[in-house]
Amino acid sequence: MRWAVNLAARGVGRVEPNPAVGAVVVDDQLRVLGEGWHTAFGEAHAEVEALQAAGELARGATLVVTLEPCRHHGQTPPCTDAVLSSGVRRVVIGIEDPSPHADGTGLSLLREAGLEIEVGVEAELVRRLNSPFLHLLETGRPWVHAKWAMTLDGRIAAAGGHSQWISSEESREMVHELRGRVDAVVVGIGTAEADDPLLTARPPGPRKATRVILDTNARLNLDSQLVRTAHDTPVMVVCSETVDEVRAGALSDAGVDIVKLPLTESGRIDFRLLLDELGIRRWTNVLVEGGSEVLGTLADGGWIDEAHVFLAPKLVGGRMALGAVGGEGLPRIPETASLECVETRAVGPDLYWRGVRPRVVERPDS
């Protein structure tokens, strides 16, 4: 099952909004007879690939697959048909498919056909790999990745606003890889104005992320790199319902998608409503790159599902230098970890830290 999970991971960034799935066909001595993974949305599913690779050797063998085989017709035929026709005698499954169209029918069909079924092997490992998919199903909202680079003393910019570059070239290459496998990259209008970024993945990844700008008054400059490239790579401006129609119309005419949402009492974009909107679009992964107040809004609302932090061996100091996460903050230091560390490693001269929201923590307004 661990090997099947490793295979499944190869599809991350290519299969969404589907789950990442891997499969292995083994004999009684656990010798691999065939393997496969879901390579891209609309392509053959993992168990079909593995069974085709095994061929006639699959008869009497065991199929190990990370997710319950599907029984429904979608982009591809039902996987249960392939399983039954392959002649395998046993199917070992990581987790059941929680999709509404599944409803355990795949497992029922296989059991009724006389196959031996085992469910729950390395279930937590499978769930972690597919956290964004499962989260979208459970909440209707995408998985929110928060990314920031900061100095040893926690600054994301010097007192005068200078911020390029805190992290190393190697770290920035990692960020481009991350951008290339998400559905959207989100920044506030302050970051867009200060840096005039492209927010694209270079080189391109398997996905082309929509650049989302939180811009209450639709003041994004028409001469910005974002607007000038809107016809090549999508740009969305999220603004107030009462925004000036001339400003919004000019951006729309330039190819920018305008999304109007109610504001919170503090006059900010309501992130809950924004995530609901992005979930309707079936976006699975959203990367928020700042700035400080946007990240603070995420932290205050409990919206950070996963954090990617690049710690650079630099000291900036200064009472007025920006910290990584603004917002209202907490009145007391939490007694438990806000994010569970799942990965740390050196990236060039920097330290990369990745953490995920503990599953026991509940959203404030979910």
Side-chain angles (χ1 to χ4, degrees):
M1 186 62 75
R2 294 191 189 110
W3 181 243
V5 170
N6 288 336
L7 292 171
R10 300 182 187 184
V12 171
R14 301 176 185 276
V15 302
E16 290 84 355
N18 283 350
V21 183
V24 184
V25 180
V26 296
D27 62 16
D28 290 342
Q29 285 73 47
L30 296 183
R31 290 177 296 199
V32 175
L33 307 176
E35 63 183 30
W37 64 94
H38 188 26
T39 58
F41 182 77
E43 298 296 324
H45 288 186
E47 48 270 63
V48 173
E49 292 283 339
L51 291 168
Q52 287 180 346
E56 285 300 312
L57 295 176
R59 296 198 172 277
T62 296
L63 170 66
V64 180
V65 60
T66 57
L67 187 73
E68 170 190 354
C70 66
R71 189 179 180 178
H72 69 284
H73 286 271
Q75 295 285 327
T76 58
C79 293
T80 49
D81 291 354
V83 174
L84 292 173
S85 63
S86 70
V88 297
R89 64 173 180 81
R90 182 169 177 251
V91 181
V92 177
I93 297 164
I95 63 172
E96 295 183 29
D97 187 348
S99 304
H101 56 247
D103 197 26
T105 55
L107 291 179
S108 298
L109 178 65
L110 297 178
R111 287 193 176 104
E112 290 169 3
L115 274 67
E116 180 184 344
I117 304 295
E118 182 177 354
V119 181
V121 176
E122 293 288 356
E124 189 57 37
L125 188 62
V126 177
R127 289 192 189 97
R128 173 151 288 181
L129 174 67
N130 280 298
S131 291
F133 165 76
L134 297 171
H135 181 72
L136 182 61
L137 282 180
E138 293 166 1
T139 69
R141 302 167 187 151
W143 184 262
V144 176
H145 301 255
K147 166 263 166 183
W148 65 88
M150 65 183 183
T151 61
L152 285 175
D153 49 343
R155 303 318 203 257
I156 64 169
H162 183 260
S163 62
Q164 294 182 334
W165 294 102
I166 289 176
S167 58
S168 65
E169 184 176 347
E170 293 91 337
S171 292
R172 297 196 296 275
E173 288 175 356
M174 275 193 66
V175 174
H176 281 286
E177 291 175 6
L178 183 56
R179 287 177 181 173
R181 56 182 175 87
V182 299
D183 296 295
V185 177
V186 182
V187 299
I189 184 60
T191 297
E193 289 182 325
D195 298 342
D196 190 23
L198 271 173
L199 300 179
T200 55
R202 301 183 296 276
R207 307 188 82 76
K208 182 180 283 190
T210 296
R211 285 90 53 89
V212 179
I213 315 303
L214 306 181
D215 183 8
T216 304
N217 298 312
R219 69 176 196 255
L220 182 64
N221 195 320
L222 293 174
D223 291 327
S224 66
Q225 292 195 91
L226 289 163
V227 176
R228 286 191 280 110
T229 59
H231 289 293
D232 299 319
T233 304
V235 176
M236 175 191 294
V237 163
V238 184
C239 56
S240 165
E241 289 181 315
T242 59
V243 70
D244 183 275
E245 291 299 332
V246 175
R247 287 179 178 271
L251 287 170
S252 181
D253 291 343
V256 174
D257 182 15
I258 302 296
V259 173
K260 299 177 183 179
L261 293 176
L263 302 182
T264 63
E265 292 182 358
S266 60
R268 298 181 181 275
I269 300 296
D270 190 321
F271 229 96
R272 177 179 58 83
L273 297 180
L274 174 58
L275 292 177
D276 287 342
E277 170 65 28
L278 303 186
I280 290 171
R281 299 176 185 231
R282 307 306 294 165
W283 289 359
T284 310
N285 290 279
V286 170
L287 173 63
V288 180
E289 295 198 21
S292 177
E293 287 306 309
V294 172
L295 292 170
T297 299
L298 283 178
D300 288 343
W303 299 115
I304 296 177
D305 298 306
E306 185 167 339
H308 306 262
V309 182
F310 297 87
L311 184 65
K314 300 175 183 179
L315 292 171
V316 172
R319 295 182 183 88
M320 302 303 293
L322 272 179
V325 180
E328 296 298 321
L330 299 175
R332 298 176 59 85
I333 302 298
E335 295 183 3
T336 58
S338 302
L339 295 164
E340 292 180 352
C341 178
V342 294
E343 182 182 3
T344 57
R345 58 187 167 102
V347 180
D350 303 335
L351 176 68
Y352 170 65
W353 185 95
R354 181 168 69 93
V356 297
R357 180 171 50 86
R359 295 183 62 194
V360 296
V361 175
E362 295 181 359
R363 292 186 178 282
D365 57 349
S366 59

